[in-house]
Amino acid sequence: ALKGLEYDYRAVNLLKGEQRDPDFVAKVPHAEVPCLEIDGHSLAQSLAILDYLEETRPDSPLYPSDPYLRAKVRQITHAIASGAQPLQNLRVIQKVQEWTDATKKVEWANYWITAALSGVEEISKETAGKYCVGDTPSIADICLIPQMASARRFNVDMGQFPNLLRIEETAIQHPAFIAAHPESQPDATGSFL
């Protein structure tokens, strides 16, 4: 949405297992969302998709021009995309529930989300302006905002992240973030718990 590109949204219901449909797996062999069909290609994984868009549609850049600040954006992005998101996704949470009792899934996700966001909170003390890094939204913010929504789903104590809450408050007023918010999507269920 920050790039201002038009797109057609097609929901893939994870709770119904639609990501394992053979037609979808033909496009995304690891059977995960999202998938972007663009320029005659099917691309998967959020960061790969965002990087492709950044490289092929450079208007409205998602990274700052300064190399150090670009690295800080990547540091925040990877802290969330590697340190929290995969550990709270549906198939991991379902496996945690299968191996333990049902209450452990929330404890599991809460632990990993808190760890990742604690690091991002510290980084933001150095880098934040209106957004994670400076005064322009970046890929770091694109990763942060849905992670904040997920943190609430898993009962994370948000009071320990005052900088991130301030960034979120700014971002959620931006039209692109309003359009992209998880609960704004046509297939939003309100909870994956």
Side-chain angles (χ1 to χ4, degrees), residues 53-147:
L53 292 173
E54 181 70 0
E55 292 167 7
T56 62
R57 287 137 177 96
D59 291 338
S60 302
L62 301 176
Y63 287 100
S65 59
D66 178 85
Y68 175 73
L69 295 178
R70 274 196 314 270
K72 294 309 267 187
V73 165
R74 288 183 181 104
Q75 184 178 355
I76 292 168
T77 298
H78 289 282
I80 295 167
S82 300
Q85 197 286 326
L87 299 167
Q88 63 171 28
N89 75 28
L90 183 61
R91 70 181 181 180
V92 171
I93 291 300
Q94 287 173 335
K95 193 54 76 173
V96 169
Q97 183 174 334
E98 179 184 317
W99 290 342
T100 65
D101 65 81
T103 62
K104 295 295 182 187
K105 67 183 181 181
V106 173
E107 184 179 336
W108 165 271
N110 183 303
Y111 175 84
W112 293 110
I113 294 167
T114 299
L117 291 181
S118 294
V120 174
E121 174 73 15
E122 288 303 309
I123 296 165
S124 74
K125 290 177 183 177
E126 173 195 346
T127 62
K130 292 179 184 176
Y131 296 96
C132 287
V133 179
D135 292 329
T136 304
S138 70
I139 287 181
D141 304 288
I142 292 170
C143 290
L144 176 65
I145 300 312
Q147 187 58 63

Side-chain angles (χ1 to χ4, degrees), residues 158-177:
M158 302 303 283
Q160 60 192 310
F161 309 121
N163 290 329
L164 302 184
L165 288 169
R166 181 188 52 72
I167 293 164
E168 179 187 42
E169 185 59 34
T170 299
I172 64 172
Q173 295 174 42
H174 190 291
F177 286 97

Side-chain angles (χ1 to χ4, degrees), residues 88 110 113 117 146-158 161:
Q88 63 171 28
N110 183 303
I113 294 167
L117 291 181
Q147 187 58 63
M148 297 289 277
S150 185
R152 288 182 180 90
R153 278 198 316 269
F154 288 105
N155 303 322
V156 171
D157 172 11
M158 302 303 283
F161 309 121

Side-chain angles (χ1 to χ4, degrees), residues 42-60:
S42 292
L43 298 171
Q45 295 293 337
S46 297
L47 295 181
I49 289 168
L50 290 168
D51 283 340
Y52 181 84
L53 292 173
E54 181 70 0
E55 292 167 7
T56 62
R57 287 137 177 96
D59 291 338
S60 302

